[in-house]
């Protein structure tokens, strides 16, 4: 090939091949090229194209070229293959892609068209039936009109019933027939012939003609028409009968409403003075079609009839809060007017002018609520007596004391019941000013008196939102305990969040005040647990609405409790004056905390510090009296409730229960070293704990009861009955903890020493209730330990395929051929290996084709988007061009106008 550029090489190749240039014979006439010449010319152009572009052919270099072999895939044409694939996808894949959202085509839905078992007459009959059904759908509710059947454009109803149905007349050629039946019809259908026809009928059944089939269709249609007419007549008769009977029912239908008044009380039926129909027909007609005057009267009555009213829509929370606030304010205004002796009136101005009513001689004392200045029993102006108020207050306090005492009897529960009445607060007196109370004492404590309880006063409807606990005590000073939740509810209603911007902070402060009030009313000597239960829903509601401020306040109380614990431990854990165990208010606080906040979370801002504080109480506190044991058992109960879902291990609670068993129950252990397990027992047989052991001689006649928590924490009573109650509670808690921790991996190591201690308890010195409970506890713990031992499996190494020891000996193969090396002596394995290789190759090819299809469709989408963008840009250019042209013309006009103005100004 000649040297030079691609263009010069192409020209040279074309001239050498004779494709271009002048022909050698000039005298040859110009004629159309033949097919052979076209093929030769195309072959020459392909050869030139191949030589000019050598990169169109891809050749795979062979590692070992053996002559005489024909191998596939050595040389290829990737450009042509790619172009061929694109053309193939344009014919197949592109068509499917363009038609994917189209629905078209013709489906033959004619009856029997594709059913070879149906004859022509059956197909026509089926089509005719469906056509009649489709036509009758439009007149399904028309009882009178009906389309006539037609046959060859003629109405079947106009034809004679016996026309063209096989009954021929004597003279068929005549225009007017005589009305006689033909002779052949008589001989065939009446009493003529017999033998001949019977012989003919014995032959094969003749196929019906089209005329006979259509005659049958018409006969059936007439029959159906007659049947429908009969049914329609029957329905008309029934309807007329109902119309006749409706006259008797109309008096009941139009009877007046007993509760209505005015025009609604007048019946719409016939009046007394209405004329009575003479006959039954007249009565029916007069009932159905009333007179004009009676009809006008009924229309006027209907105009005054009561109309229905639309129901109120569902109101939003803000609207409900506003309505509640307005209702309370109106009720408070009415209450104040009643207290001042004013007459109730909707107009406030009238109430102001009328003023207060004076007491008269004829008054019945049913509208007056005298104040202390107007009437004190001495007469007006004789003096003021102020002693009754204090007596009433004292009576109130005495009544509350009675209620508190009844609450103690009803609500005192032990820690195993998870009682709601547990409280935590400190004693009213501090220890040398170092122990801080959770809630400050009231500045104006409520006085207690033995006087009678004063008459119950009407509760106000509006209150100010307290910002401190002292303000709340002033609000509820003269309010009974059962009315305190009502007061709180009214405060929440008046200061709803949606009514003012500052109400949010007032309600947050109210939650803190309610927590302080719970600590206040839980303090001895007369805790009021029913009031705590009634305040609990309000605290929960506000806390869930504003969780972050409430959590901060709870953490402040927990920090103060932890601080008091450290102060008590610094004074000495065994000192009687150090407060190392929570009191009744603290226990109430912890119980309330466990119900409000979720205790199953792994980490919680309030519960996690609470769990640490409970563990510190149980682990660092030293037992000095039965009150300490009662407080610890309540803490163990709270811990059990806290971990009911999470089942986290609390070793301090288990250790406390074991030590309580050793302190109360008789056992043979004398020293700490003789105790099984590794439970720390610092108070074992100490001077403070020896008096706590049960007296073996006084066990007869004792019965297990619920421990009275209030009595234990507020007194130093150490009777045998209290010891028995605490020991029974300890046994029950040990069983519950065993059931909770039975799924732990270390349950065997945890409860085996406990089982030995329980088995070593000298049950012969215990009462019957203790013996029964102890035996059940030992059996249950023994069964749980047995199941744990059966479920425990020794540790095993990880199960995996053994790792072979590496070898460096070379592998020698006798076969030198790769083909023989890949062959397996087993024929089935060899075929399976071939099938796997074939599947692998086909899978690769399918993946490669799918990727090519995806690239092709992506290119089509890109071209569509480019075309869409191009058309959009073209439209926008035309629009902008037109706008710019108009703007240019507008500016030119403005410039001309400006020039005209300047010229006019110069003139």
């Amino acid at each position: 090939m000649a040297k030079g550029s691609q263009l010069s090489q192409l020209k040279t190749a074309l001239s050498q091949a004779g494709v271009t240039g002048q022909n050698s014979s000039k005298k040859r006439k110009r004629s159309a090229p033949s097919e052979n010449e076209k093929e030769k010319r195309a072959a020459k152009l392909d050869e030139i194209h191949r030589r000019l572009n050598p990169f169109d052919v891809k050749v795979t270099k062979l590692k070992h070229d053996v002559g005489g072999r024909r191998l596939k895939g050595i040389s290829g044409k990737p450009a042509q293959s790619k172009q061929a694939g694109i053309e193939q996808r344009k014919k197949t894949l592109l068509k499917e892609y363009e038609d994917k959202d189209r629905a078209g085509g013709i489906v033959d839905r004619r009856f029997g068209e594709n059913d070879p078992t149906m004859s022509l007459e059956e197909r026509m009959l089926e089509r005719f039936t469906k056509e009649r059904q489709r036509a009758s759908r439009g007149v399904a509710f028309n009882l009178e009109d009906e389309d006539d059947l037609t046959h060859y454009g003629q109405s079947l109803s106009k034809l004679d019933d016996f026309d063209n149905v096989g009954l021929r007349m004597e003279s068929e050629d005549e225009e007017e027939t005589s009305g006689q039946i033909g002779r052949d019809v008589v001989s065939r259908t009446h009493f003529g012939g017999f033998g001949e026809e019977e012989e003919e009928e014995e032959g094969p059944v003749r196929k019906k003609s089209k005329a006979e089939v259509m005659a049958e269709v018409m006969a059936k249609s007439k029959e159906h028409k007659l049947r429908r007419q009969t049914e329609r007549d029957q329905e008309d008769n029934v309807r007329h009968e109902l119309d006749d009977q409706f006259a008797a029912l109309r008096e009941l239908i139009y009877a007046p409403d007993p509760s209505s008044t005015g025009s609604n009380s007048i019946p719409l039926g016939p009046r007394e003075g209405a004329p009575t129909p003479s006959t039954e027909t007249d009565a029916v007609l007069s009932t159905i079609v009333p007179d004009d005057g009676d009809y006008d009267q009924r229309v006027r009555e209907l105009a005054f009839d009561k109309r229905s009213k639309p129901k109120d829509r569902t109101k939003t929370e803000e609207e409900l809060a506003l309505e509640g606030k307005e209702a309370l304010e109106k009720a408070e205004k009415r209450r104040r007017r009643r207290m001042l002796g004013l007459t109730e009136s909707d107009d406030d101005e009238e109430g102001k002018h009328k003023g207060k009513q004076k007491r008269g001689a004829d008054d019945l004392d049913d509208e007056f609520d005298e104040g202390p200045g107007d009437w004190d029993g001495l007469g007006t102006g004789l003096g003021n007596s102020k002693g009754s108020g204090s007596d009433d207050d004292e009576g109130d306090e005495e009544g509350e004391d009675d209620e508190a005492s009844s609450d103690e009897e009803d609500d005192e529960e032990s820690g195993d019941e998870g009682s709601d009445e547990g409280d935590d607060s400190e004693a009213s007196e501090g220890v040398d000013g170092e122990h801080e109370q959770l809630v400050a004492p009231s500045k104006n404590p409520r006085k207690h008196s033995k006087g009678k309880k004063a008459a119950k006063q009407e509760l106000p409807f509006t209150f100010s939102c307290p910002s401190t606990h002292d303000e709340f005590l002033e609000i509820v000073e003269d309010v009974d305990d059962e009315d305190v939740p009502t007061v709180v509810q009214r405060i929440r209603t008046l200061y709803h969040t949606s009514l003012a911007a500052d109400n949010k902070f007032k309600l947050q402060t109210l939650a803190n005040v309610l927590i302080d009030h719970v600590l206040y009313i839980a303090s001895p000597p007369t805790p009021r647990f029913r009031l705590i239960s009634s305040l609990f829903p309000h605290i929960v509601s506000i806390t869930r609405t504003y969780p972050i401020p409430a959590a901060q306040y709870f953490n402040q109380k927990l920090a103060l409790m932890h601080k008091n614990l450290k102060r008590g431990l610094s004074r000495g854990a065994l000192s009687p004056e150090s407060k190392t165990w929570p009191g009744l208010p603290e226990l109430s606080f912890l119980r309330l905390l466990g119900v409000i906040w979720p205790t199953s979370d792994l980490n919680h801002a309030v519960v996690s510090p609470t769990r640490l504080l409970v563990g510190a109480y149980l682990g660092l506190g030293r037992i000095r009296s039965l009150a300490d044991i009662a407080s610890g058992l309540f803490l163990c109960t709270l811990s059990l409730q806290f971990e009911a879902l999470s089942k986290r291990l609390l070793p301090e609670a288990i250790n406390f229960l074991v030590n309580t068993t050793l302190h109360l129950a008789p056992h043979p252990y004398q020293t700490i070293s003789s105790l099984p397990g590794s439970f720390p027992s610092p108070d074992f047989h100490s001077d403070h704990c020896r008096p706590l052991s049960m007296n073996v001689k006084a066990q007869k006649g004792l019965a297990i009861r619920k421990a009275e928590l209030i009595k234990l924490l507020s007194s130093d009573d150490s009777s045998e009955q209290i010891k028995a109650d605490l020991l029974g509670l300890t046994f029950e808690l040990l069983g519950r903890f065993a059931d909770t921790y039975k799924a732990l991996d270390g349950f065997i190591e945890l409860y085996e020493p406990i089982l030995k201690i329980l088995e070593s308890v000298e049950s012969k010195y215990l009462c019957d209730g203790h013996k029964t409970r102890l035996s059940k506890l030992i059996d249950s713990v023994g069964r749980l330990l047995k199941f744990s031992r059966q479920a425990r499996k020794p540790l095993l190494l990880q199960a995996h395929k053994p790792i072979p020891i590496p070898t460096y000996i070379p592998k020698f193969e006798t076969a030198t051929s790769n083909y023989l090396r890949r062959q397996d002596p087993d024929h089935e394995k060899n075929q399976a290996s071939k099938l796997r290789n074939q599947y692998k190759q086909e899978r690769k090819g399918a993946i490669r084709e799918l990727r090519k299809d995806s690239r092709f469709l992506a290119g089509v989408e890109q071209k569509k988007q480019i075309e869409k963008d191009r058309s959009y840009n073209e439209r926008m250019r035309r629009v902008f061009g037109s706008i710019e042209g108009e703007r240019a013309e507008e500016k030119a006009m403005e410039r001309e106008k400006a020039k005209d103005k300047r010229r006019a100004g110069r003139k």
Side-chain angles (χ1 to χ4, degrees):
M1 184 175 292
K3 297 181 179 180
S5 63
Q6 287 282 333
L7 182 58
S8 61
Q9 293 179 12
L10 177 61
K11 290 181 179 180
T12 304
L14 290 176
S15 61
Q16 290 178 358
V19 178
T20 59
Q22 296 181 356
N23 294 329
S24 58
S25 58
K26 297 182 180 178
K27 298 181 179 180
R28 186 177 178 179
K29 296 182 179 179
R30 299 182 64 181
S31 61
S34 61
E35 295 294 334
N36 191 12
E37 292 179 354
K38 290 182 179 179
E39 292 179 358
K40 290 181 179 180
R41 181 182 178 87
K44 291 179 181 180
L45 291 177
D46 292 339
E47 180 66 20
I48 293 171
H49 183 269
R50 184 183 62 79
R51 283 185 297 164
L52 288 176
N53 192 4
F55 297 100
D56 284 347
V57 179
K58 182 178 181 182
V59 180
T60 303
K61 185 179 179 182
L62 296 177
K63 188 174 182 181
H64 302 287
D65 190 6
V66 180
R69 290 193 305 172
R70 294 183 178 179
L71 300 178
K72 294 182 180 180
I74 296 177
S75 61
K77 299 178 179 179
Q80 296 181 5
S81 300
K82 183 177 180 180
Q83 187 64 26
I86 291 174
E87 295 296 333
Q88 184 67 20
R89 288 183 178 87
K90 286 181 180 179
K91 296 178 181 179
T92 58
L93 185 61
L94 185 58
K95 295 294 183 182
E96 295 178 0
Y97 178 75
E98 292 176 351
D99 299 340
K100 66 177 181 178
D101 295 331
R102 296 181 182 178
I106 300 174
V107 180
D108 190 0
R109 299 185 182 277
R110 292 180 294 176
F111 292 101
E113 189 66 26
N114 298 323
D115 190 359
T117 60
M118 295 181 66
S119 62
L120 180 61
E121 288 77 7
E122 292 175 351
R123 295 177 187 175
M124 294 177 65
L125 179 61
E126 186 69 20
R127 294 173 186 174
F128 180 76
T129 305
K130 292 296 181 181
E131 181 66 25
R132 295 304 305 159
Q133 291 178 357
R134 190 181 302 109
S136 63
R137 290 175 186 173
V139 292
F141 302 96
N142 191 351
L143 301 179
E144 299 296 335
D145 298 336
E146 183 175 351
D147 296 338
D148 294 335
L149 297 175
T150 59
H151 180 62
Y152 288 101
Q154 297 180 2
S155 176
L156 297 179
S157 61
K158 297 180 181 180
L159 298 177
D160 190 7
D161 294 342
F162 298 96
D163 288 347
N164 300 327
V165 292
L167 302 177
R168 298 191 308 171
M169 302 299 176
E170 281 287 343
S171 57
E172 295 180 354
D173 298 333
E174 297 178 359
E175 294 180 0
E176 295 182 1
T177 60
S178 60
Q180 297 180 356
I181 303 176
R183 183 180 300 138
D184 56 348
V185 176
V186 174
S187 63
R188 187 161 33 87
T189 60
H190 292 182
F191 302 99
F194 293 103
E196 298 177 0
E197 293 296 327
E198 291 178 357
E199 292 178 359
E200 293 178 1
E201 290 177 1
E202 291 178 358
V205 179
R206 183 178 62 85
K207 189 175 182 180
K208 295 181 180 180
S209 63
K210 181 178 180 181
E212 294 175 352
V213 171
M214 297 306 298
E216 290 182 1
V217 170
M218 289 185 289
K220 290 181 181 179
S221 64
K222 290 181 179 181
E223 181 184 358
H224 289 305
K225 180 178 180 181
L226 180 61
R227 187 181 302 169
R228 288 195 299 270
Q229 183 66 29
T230 305
E231 293 177 355
R232 188 160 57 248
D233 294 341
Q234 293 178 357
E235 293 175 357
D236 292 340
N237 294 334
V238 173
R239 187 167 63 251
H240 287 304
E241 291 178 2
L242 292 176
D243 293 340
D244 295 341
Q245 298 174 1
F246 183 74
L249 298 176
R250 190 176 60 178
E251 293 292 338
L252 298 177
I253 294 177
Y254 292 101
D257 189 3
S259 62
S260 62
T261 59
S263 63
N264 294 332
S265 62
I266 302 175
L268 298 181
R271 271 58 175 182
E272 296 180 357
T276 305
S278 59
T279 61
E280 184 178 357
T281 305
D282 297 337
V284 173
L285 293 176
S286 63
T287 304
I288 298 176
V289 184
D291 297 337
D292 294 339
D294 195 7
Y295 176 78
D296 296 337
Q297 182 66 23
R298 293 179 185 178
V299 171
R300 286 193 295 270
E301 290 174 357
L302 290 175
F304 294 100
D305 196 4
K306 185 186 295 183
R307 296 183 179 181
S308 60
K309 297 181 180 179
K311 297 182 178 180
D312 296 336
R313 63 175 178 84
T314 303
K315 297 181 180 180
T316 61
E317 183 180 358
E318 292 77 7
E319 293 175 350
L320 293 175
L322 183 59
E323 286 186 359
K325 179 183 178 182
E326 293 176 353
L328 290 177
E329 291 177 350
K330 291 180 181 179
E332 178 63 16
K333 290 180 181 180
R334 290 195 296 268
R335 187 187 72 86
R336 291 182 178 275
R337 294 176 66 84
R338 289 195 302 270
M339 291 179 63
L340 297 175
L342 301 176
T343 58
E344 296 186 5
S345 175
D346 295 335
D347 191 3
D348 295 336
E349 296 297 331
E350 289 184 7
K352 292 180 181 179
H353 290 299
K354 288 181 179 179
K356 187 175 180 180
Q357 288 185 352
K358 297 295 181 179
R359 183 181 179 89
D362 295 334
D363 291 333
L364 299 179
D365 295 335
D366 56 352
E367 296 179 351
F368 294 92
D369 187 11
E370 299 88 11
D374 293 339
W375 183 259
D376 283 336
L378 300 177
T380 305
L382 294 182
N384 295 328
S385 176
K386 298 182 180 179
S388 60
S390 60
D391 295 338
D392 294 341
D393 295 339
E394 293 174 359
D396 290 340
E397 294 302 325
E398 182 182 3
E400 292 177 358
D401 293 340
D402 296 338
E403 291 180 0
S405 61
S406 63
D407 292 345
E408 291 178 9
E409 297 175 0
D410 296 336
D411 300 326
E412 283 171 354
E413 288 186 4
S414 58
D416 64 325
E417 295 294 331
S419 141
D420 292 338
E421 293 88 17
D423 290 327
D424 100 286
S425 107
E426 308 231 356
S428 59
E429 297 180 358
V431 180
D432 295 334
E434 296 181 359
H435 188 85
E436 298 183 14
Q437 296 182 355
L438 294 182
V439 60
S442 176
K443 298 180 181 179
N444 299 321
R446 300 175 68 174
K447 299 180 181 179
H448 294 270
S449 169
K450 295 183 179 180
K452 295 182 179 180
K453 186 174 181 179
K456 186 175 180 180
Q457 298 180 359
E458 186 177 5
L459 191 66
F461 292 93
T462 58
F463 302 91
S464 61
C465 188
S467 59
T468 60
H469 184 234
D470 292 335
E471 295 180 4
F472 185 76
L473 290 178
E474 293 177 0
I475 293 174
V476 299
E477 182 177 2
D478 297 329
V479 179
D480 295 338
D481 288 348
E482 59 268 16
D483 294 334
V484 173
T486 306
V487 174
V488 177
Q489 181 61 38
R490 290 179 179 178
I491 292 175
R492 292 181 58 194
T493 304
L494 291 171
Y495 297 93
H496 194 269
T497 309
S498 60
L499 300 179
D502 297 337
N503 289 351
K504 173 182 177 181
F505 305 102
K506 292 182 180 180
L507 290 180
Q508 294 175 6
T509 307
L510 179 62
N512 302 340
V513 171
L514 291 179
I515 295 172
D516 291 339
H517 192 63
V518 167
L519 297 174
Y520 176 77
I521 61 179
S523 302
T526 56
R528 290 168 282 173
F529 295 124
R530 291 184 179 177
L531 181 55
I532 295 176
S533 300
S534 60
L535 291 177
F536 170 73
H538 299 285
I539 298 176
V540 172
S541 178
I542 300 176
T543 302
R544 290 178 179 176
T545 306
Y546 309 106
I548 296 178
Q552 294 175 355
Y553 196 74
F554 271 95
N555 286 334
Q556 292 178 8
K557 297 297 181 182
L558 292 174
L560 182 57
M561 292 169 62
H562 189 70
K563 188 176 182 180
N564 291 336
L565 175 61
K566 291 193 294 184
R567 288 176 177 176
L569 294 175
S570 64
R571 293 177 60 87
L574 295 176
S575 176
E577 298 179 356
S578 61
K579 298 183 181 300
T580 57
W581 290 97
L584 198 57
E586 284 104 351
L587 296 178
S588 308
F589 178 76
L590 293 176
R591 177 68 182 119
L592 191 68
L593 185 147
V595 179
I596 294 176
W597 303 101
T599 58
S600 60
D601 294 354
L602 180 61
N603 293 315
H604 194 271
V606 180
V607 179
S608 297
T610 305
R611 194 180 295 113
L612 295 177
L613 180 62
V614 172
Y617 275 128
L618 294 175
L620 300 177
R622 303 290 292 275
I623 297 177
R624 298 159 300 185
S625 62
L626 292 179
D628 296 344
I629 294 179
S631 180
L633 290 178
F634 192 87
L635 292 177
C636 293
T637 306
L638 290 180
S639 302
L640 183 63
Q641 293 177 355
F642 287 178
E643 310 304 333
L645 294 177
S646 59
K647 301 184 185 302
R648 281 187 285 263
L649 177 62
L650 293 175
E652 295 87 358
I654 301 295
N655 185 36
F656 182 83
L657 294 175
V658 172
N659 289 331
T660 303
T661 304
L662 295 175
H663 293 326
L664 297 177
H667 54 81
Y669 302 111
Q670 298 298 329
T671 59
I672 298 178
S673 59
S674 60
L675 295 176
S678 58
F679 299 105
S681 301
D683 299 326
F684 184 72
H685 281 307
S686 62
D687 296 338
H688 296 83
C689 296
R690 285 178 182 176
L692 303 179
S693 179
M694 298 179 64
N695 188 2
V696 297
K697 297 180 180 180
Q699 294 301 313
K700 295 181 180 181
L702 295 178
I704 302 178
R705 301 179 306 182
K706 291 184 179 179
E708 298 178 358
L709 182 63
I710 301 176
K711 186 176 180 181
L712 288 173
L713 295 179
S714 59
S715 64
D716 296 334
D717 189 9
S718 60
S719 62
E720 295 298 325
Q721 181 61 47
I722 294 177
K723 296 178 182 178
D725 298 341
L726 294 177
L727 183 60
L729 176 59
T730 304
F731 288 158
E732 186 175 355
L733 288 177
L734 282 173
R736 292 191 178 185
F737 273 107
D739 187 66
T740 304
Y741 295 150
K742 62 184 178 182
L744 294 179
D745 295 336
F747 178 74
I748 300 175
E749 288 75 11
L750 180 64
Y751 260 83
E752 271 187 349
I754 297 176
L755 181 60
K756 293 180 182 179
I757 293 176
L758 294 176
E759 290 175 348
S760 63
V761 172
E762 298 175 354
S763 59
K764 60 183 179 179
Y765 299 115
L766 300 177
C767 61
D768 296 337
H770 285 159
K771 291 179 182 179
T772 303
R773 189 168 293 185
L774 180 61
S775 62
K776 291 182 180 179
L777 178 60
I778 292 174
D779 293 341
S780 63
V781 173
R783 276 188 274 106
L784 292 176
L785 288 173
K786 177 183 176 182
F787 297 151
S788 298
R789 293 190 187 95
Q790 293 176 357
R792 176 174 287 185
K793 296 180 180 180
L795 295 177
L796 299 175
L797 292 176
Q798 184 180 1
H800 57 79
K801 186 178 180 181
I803 301 174
I805 300 175
T807 178
Y808 301 100
I809 300 175
K811 180 181 179 181
F812 295 96
E813 294 180 356
T814 57
T816 59
S817 175
N818 293 333
Y819 174 76
L820 296 176
R821 191 181 298 113
R822 287 195 301 267
Q823 295 297 319
D824 196 292
D826 191 353
H827 180 69
E828 294 181 357
K829 291 183 178 179
N830 194 14
Q831 293 295 329
S833 177
K834 288 183 179 180
L835 192 59
R836 284 194 299 271
N837 292 333
Q838 185 179 1
Y839 165 74
K840 187 176 180 180
Q841 295 297 328
E842 292 295 334
R843 183 172 178 272
K844 288 182 178 179
I847 292 174
R848 184 167 55 251
E849 292 298 325
L850 289 176
R851 289 174 179 172
K852 290 180 180 180
D853 293 345
S854 300
R855 286 195 296 269
F856 176 76
L857 293 178
V860 172
E861 289 288 344
Q862 186 178 9
K863 290 180 180 178
K864 285 185 178 181
Q865 187 64 33
I866 291 173
E867 181 63 25
K868 188 184 297 184
D869 295 343
R870 187 194 62 76
S871 61
Y872 173 77
N873 294 331
E874 183 67 23
R875 289 197 306 270
M876 295 304 295
R877 277 197 299 270
R878 289 198 300 268
V879 172
F880 277 110
S882 62
I883 293 174
E884 289 174 356
E886 293 176 359
R887 182 58 180 166
E889 293 177 0
E890 184 180 358
K891 288 183 177 180
M893 292 176 64
E894 291 177 356
R895 285 195 296 269
E896 291 295 333
K897 289 181 181 180
K899 290 180 181 179
D900 294 341
K901 288 182 180 180
R902 287 197 297 269
R903 292 170 184 171
R906 291 176 183 175
K907 293 179 181 178

